[in-house]
């Protein structure tokens, strides 16, 4: 089984570091501490944030650190990963609204600290190009949080998205619309068909990628991401191309990993100063 281990090393670390934690709260705490450490060194860091249920423990843990004075996030900047097309910005389920509620307000940041694509633009293509440009002008994302779809999507890059893609419009799969209907009163008809998402090539430009996955429903996607081939059919497998990618999983999401014991061993023996 360990015959493949030499292939997953890069610069002295596995190309994707997998950290197995006991539960979602522990994952949230670990990642929030990495974000806090980044902000201590770079107070105006650009934090790439994701939506969905999975990252909520990260945002809660980071807000608690801000409240306790463990970190000052007052100069932090926040960049959006993806957005529904056609939902007005003030719609409670537009990702702009979700991120205002879940990230900006708890961290005490105002909208000036935020950049995101315009999901209501008449010229969607121009809005996508403008967003890639805005990210570059902001100096690039320092740490990009990611969740993962049950089909391996990151952002809204559905299976078979180009691994070199830039921010663009995408059509959601039926499965993703079913998964996301819970945010729209369980009514799939209310879930938009189209979205703007940072492309995989755009996401790979962030300096550190941190993906959190929790629950058994993500176990197949996690195994394909870190132990499968780099393939567009599993968009998250593009993390293997990044020099600093961290995948944090709870026991359930780790349950299909063949190298789980190896991942536990490397993390347990990692020097403390290295962080994630
Ligand atoms: C949506 C978002 C993704 C997120 C995914 C999983 O599709 N665009 O960024 O990773 O949902 O969401 P959850 O964490 O709720 O399972």
């Amino acid at each position: 089984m360990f015959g493949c281990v030499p292939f997953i090393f890069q610069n002295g670390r596995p190309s994707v570091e997998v950290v197995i934690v006991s539960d979602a709260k522990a994952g949230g705490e670990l990642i929030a501490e990495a974000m806090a450490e980044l902000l201590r060194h770079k107070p105006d860091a650009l934090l790439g944030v994701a939506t969905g249920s999975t990252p909520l423990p990260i945002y809660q843990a980071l807000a608690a650190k801000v409240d306790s004075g463990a970190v000052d996030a007052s100069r932090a900047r926040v960049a959006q990963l993806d957005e529904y097309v056609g939902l007005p910005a003030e719609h409670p389920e537009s990702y702009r609204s979700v991120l205002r509620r879940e990230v900006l307000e708890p961290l005490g940041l105002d909208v000036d600290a935020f950049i995101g694509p315009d999901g209501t633009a008449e010229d969607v293509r121009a809005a996508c190009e403008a967003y890639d440009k805005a990210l570059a002008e902001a100096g690039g994302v320092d740490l990009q949080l990611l969740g993962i779809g049950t089909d391996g999507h990151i952002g809204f890059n559905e299976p078979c998205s180009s691994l070199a893609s830039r921010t663009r419009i995408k059509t959601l799969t039926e499965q993703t619309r079913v998964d996301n209907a819970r945010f729209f009163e369980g009514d799939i008809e209310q879930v938009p068909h189209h979205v703007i998402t940072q492309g995989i090539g755009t996401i790979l430009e962030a300096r550190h990628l941190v993906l959190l996955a929790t629950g058994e429903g993500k176990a197949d996607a996690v195994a394909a991401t870190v132990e499968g081939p780099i393939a567009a059919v599993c968009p998250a497998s593009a993390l293997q191309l990044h020099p600093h990618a961290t995948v944090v999983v709870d026991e359930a999401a780790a349950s299909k990993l063949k190298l789980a014991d190896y991942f536990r061993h490397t993390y347990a023996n990692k020097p403390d100063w290295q962080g994630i």
Side-chain angles (χ1 to χ4, degrees):
M1 176 171 80
F2 286 99
C4 61
V5 165
F7 293 103
I8 61 173
F9 274 98
Q10 185 175 329
N11 301 331
R13 61 163 102 222
S15 63
V16 176
E17 177 178 41
V18 179
V19 183
I20 302 174
V21 293
S22 52
D23 54 24
K25 190 161 184 273
E29 176 57 38
L30 179 74
I31 297 171
E33 183 49 33
M35 296 169 84
E37 195 52 23
L38 169 64
L39 289 169
R40 288 179 198 118
H41 288 99
K42 185 174 183 184
D44 65 346
L46 183 58
L47 306 174
V49 292
T51 51
S53 313
T54 310
L56 297 180
I58 306 171
Y59 304 142
Q60 285 154 9
L62 186 57
K65 287 178 192 297
V66 169
D67 290 347
S68 72
V71 64
D72 176 7
S74 60
R75 291 176 57 203
R77 297 169 300 146
V78 173
Q80 188 173 357
L81 181 60
D82 48 12
E83 182 57 281
Y84 290 113
V85 167
L87 286 191
E90 58 282 4
H91 187 290
E93 293 307 328
S94 78
Y95 281 174
R96 191 171 286 245
S97 294
V98 171
L99 292 171
R100 197 180 51 235
R101 265 194 322 270
E102 306 292 357
V103 180
L104 294 179
E105 287 172 4
L107 295 184
L109 296 171
D110 72 31
V111 286
D112 292 348
F114 179 81
I115 52 172
D118 181 359
T120 59
E122 251 175 57
D123 186 342
V124 176
R125 190 178 303 185
C128 294
E129 277 171 24
Y131 189 46
D132 269 345
K133 199 161 165 239
L135 287 169
E137 283 171 2
V141 172
D142 288 294
L143 185 155
Q144 177 65 57
L145 295 177
L146 298 166
I148 187 168
T150 49
D151 59 5
H153 73 242
I154 48 173
F156 269 133
N157 293 283
E158 295 284 28
C160 297
S161 289
S162 157
L163 300 185
S165 49
R166 310 301 305 172
T167 300
R168 70 216 181 291
I169 188 167
K170 289 290 287 180
T171 302
L172 294 181
T173 63
E174 204 59 7
Q175 182 60 53
T176 298
R177 291 180 67 238
V178 168
D179 288 348
N180 288 3
R182 69 188 193 281
F183 297 112
F184 293 85
E185 301 164 325
D187 177 11
I188 189 173
E189 294 308 318
Q190 292 183 43
V191 184
H193 284 273
H194 294 110
V195 291
I196 292 176
T197 182
Q198 283 190 33
I200 297 174
T202 315
I203 292 170
L204 290 175
E205 285 171 3
R207 294 178 186 90
H208 184 190
L209 300 179
V210 183
L211 186 151
L212 177 63
T214 53
E216 210 183 334
K218 301 291 174 70
D220 285 320
V222 165
T225 296
V226 299
E227 293 179 348
I230 299 171
V233 73
C234 177
S237 66
L239 267 67
Q240 296 179 39
L241 294 165
H242 196 281
H244 191 183
T246 310
V247 171
V248 180
V249 284
D250 68 357
E251 295 286 348
S255 59
K256 303 256 171 93
L257 290 173
K258 294 193 182 73
L259 294 173
D261 288 343
Y262 168 69
F263 294 135
R264 281 185 232 279
H265 175 79
T266 49
Y267 187 66
N269 290 287
K270 195 176 178 183
D272 283 344
W273 54 263
Q274 218 177 357
I276 58 169

